[in-house]
Amino acid sequence: MIKYLLILCLAMMSLNGNSQSIEGVWQTYDDETGELKSDVKIYKKDGKLYGKVVQLHVVDDLEVEATCRYCTDYRKDKPILGMLVMTALVKDGKEWEGDGTLLDPENGKTYDGEVWLVDDNKLAVRGYIGWFFRTQYWIRK
């Protein structure tokens, strides 16, 4: 009987650990319209957190190729699909954070950022410029 309880407890702990993972595919939304914009795959590499655009849902008629025309770094005029928009965030408690780690491909600006799980299916993504910040909420796909 104790053996079965131990197995049950271990199974429940492993399920709980997997459900709290920040890794996975997250859907992003337009702040003003609420329209679905993209899917971003978040993954860990060498202990740091990265996010790459894996699907675009809204592409302006004028931006058929959807490139980062306002970027000023190595991403300038590169396709947004497949682009890193979250780079090398480091875990600090329950949050992941970093300087110049979040990119908005619509305006080419990079922001200091932090991300954290609100719950299993909602991710807070906050970008900073100085003291000013904006928080978006992404939904797990």
Side-chain angles (χ1 to χ4, degrees):
M1 181 70 165
I2 293 175
K3 181 172 132 179
Y4 294 115
L5 285 174
L6 180 61
I7 291 171
L8 179 63
C9 288
L10 289 174
M12 289 176 65
M13 287 186 342
S14 71
L15 286 174
N16 188 32
N18 289 340
S19 66
Q20 291 294 323
S21 176
I22 201 166
E23 295 177 275
V25 178
W26 296 87
Q27 296 182 320
T28 71
Y29 295 85
D30 186 282
D31 289 337
E32 295 174 10
T33 66
E35 187 174 26
L36 177 62
K37 292 178 68 173
S38 66
D39 293 351
V40 175
K41 181 178 182 179
I42 296 180
Y43 60 95
K44 294 177 191 169
K45 180 180 173 187
D46 299 326
K48 295 182 180 179
L49 199 66
Y50 295 83
K52 174 172 66 171
V53 177
V54 293
Q55 184 173 1
L56 294 173
H57 295 282
V58 176
V59 179
D60 294 339
D61 292 336
L62 299 175
E63 292 186 66
V64 174
E65 294 182 23
T67 60
C68 193
R69 61 182 160 186
Y70 299 113
C71 287
T72 58
D73 59 10
Y74 67 93
R75 296 172 278 206
K76 174 118 179 100
D77 296 326
K78 301 287 188 218
I80 294 171
L81 187 61
M83 181 174 287
L84 283 176
V85 292
M86 183 182 292
T87 311
L89 278 82
V90 179
K91 190 163 177 94
D92 183 18
K94 292 184 179 183
E95 300 171 355
W96 292 80
E97 57 186 31
D99 295 336
T101 55
L102 301 179
L103 168 73
D104 182 346
E106 285 188 14
N107 61 25
K109 294 182 181 179
T110 57
Y111 302 91
D112 298 345
E114 60 184 329
V115 299
W116 66 92
L117 283 173
V118 175
D119 60 42
D120 287 348
N121 295 311
K122 191 173 186 179
L123 181 71
V125 180
R126 180 171 289 169
Y128 290 92
I129 293 183
W131 295 98
F132 301 99
F133 65 87
R134 184 178 90 199
T135 305
Q136 290 185 335
Y137 295 96
W138 297 0
I139 305 300
R140 190 182 299 273
K141 185 170 182 177

